[in-house]
Amino acid sequence: MTRVIVSIKSVSCWVVIIGVMLFLSGCARMASPESFFELSSTYSKDKALQSRFFETSNQRELISASAAVLQDLGFQVEESESHVGVLRAVKERSAREWGQEIARTFVALIGAIGGKVILLPVDLHQQIAATLTVFPADNDSKKFCSRIIFHRKVWKGDGSTGSSHIPPGEQRLEMINDPVIYQQFFSKLSKSVFLEAHQI
Amino acid sequence: MNKPYKVFVFVLGFMLTACASGPQKPPENLLALTDAQLKIRSYQTKVFEIKDRLVVVRGVVQALQDLGFIVERVNGPMGMITAGKFAGEGHSGFVELTVVVRDKGSAQMEVRVNALFNTAPIEDPKIYQNFFRVVQRSLFSQG
């Protein structure tokens, strides 16, 4: 029995050590400022995913139809600029996931057996945002390119390392690159303006 | 007698130090333009041979989108753009920038960008060169 407890304690000790090493390795990889303004290797693929051409001369109609589609999808329009052709919309949702909750409980249980309750912070809340631009695609302004970028900001809840409290509010930003989401948006927009969406 | 006396001295001392420090004055050279700032301004600025301000603003917005920035605010007639992105491995830092597009004579547009990384100004000329390279490419592809 004592041996079992000792081995469980050593397992929990390893969990803490691995956690600390992962945390420290995360700190060690600092951002390289020179890469901030360099194009990524996937930029043209991302652009193709996020953009469609519409054969219309009515930019305003394309922007207002896009706003209507975003409203249908539960977004609130935050900002619009008709001269340039920019629209921003957001929606707030819960970010809780079963997988993270199970992992948090599992780590807490192992920690509790070892005498230290470790609580991993989990995702609590998210803001999903859409930035849309509608720019002329030719010199005669008879063709417009609509580009939408979906991204989400996620806020984590609090946690504990066992000896100290991890405060809530840590946030991260994720680009949404699921092709289905973009296809759905452009399909709805296409139906809304009675125009075919052409891929770039 | 000793304890209340000590407390009194402590409180008095605390009050006197608070009075002595007073409100902090801002540094006198807060808005002074130094040579270093002039140098930074020169590589934060680039002139493009384009007459139409909206064309340049759209070009900058497209370039920022290609670079993975989230465009937060755009004002076309004023030529102002604000954007930001989480950057670096594990998205550990935040880069934010402001771009101002202004007329330079009757046939040119001047683009000025200033970027911050984790609220500290970015002063490396190479970073701005990279930015203008992408803007140039975007304006060229617009035709």
Side-chain angles (χ1 to χ4, degrees), chain A residues 36 43 81 83-84 147 173, chain B residues 58 66 74 76 85-86 137:
Chain A
F36 296 163
Y43 108 90
E81 211 282 357
H83 294 94
V84 181
R147 182 174 184 181
L173 184 114
Chain B
R58 284 178 183 140
D66 289 346
V74 181
K85 73 168 175 180
F86 282 89
R137 181 190 171 126

Side-chain angles (χ1 to χ4, degrees), chain A residues 12 15-16 104-120 159-166:
Chain A
S12 64
V15 168
V16 173
R104 179 181 163 100
T105 313
F106 182 71
V107 171
L109 278 174
I110 290 180
I113 293 165
K116 256 189 178 183
V117 180
I118 301 160
L119 289 172
L120 297 175
S160 171
T161 59
S163 54
S164 62
H165 177 246
I166 302 169

Side-chain angles (χ1 to χ4, degrees), chain A residues 115-176:
Chain A
K116 256 189 178 183
V117 180
I118 301 160
L119 289 172
L120 297 175
V122 291
D123 297 345
L124 276 190
H125 186 74
Q126 61 180 326
Q127 186 191 61
I128 305 160
T131 309
L132 177 102
T133 54
V134 178
F135 292 165
D138 57 6
N139 292 332
D140 310 328
S141 293
K142 286 185 175 172
K143 214 161 94 172
F144 279 86
C145 178
S146 170
R147 182 174 184 181
I148 191 159
I149 299 173
F150 290 102
H151 69 274
R152 65 181 198 134
K153 242 183 221 172
V154 183
W155 285 268
K156 278 184 183 287
D158 61 348
S160 171
T161 59
S163 54
S164 62
H165 177 246
I166 302 169
E170 187 193 327
Q171 59 172 288
R172 68 173 192 278
L173 184 114
E174 281 175 11
M175 305 308 284
I176 297 173

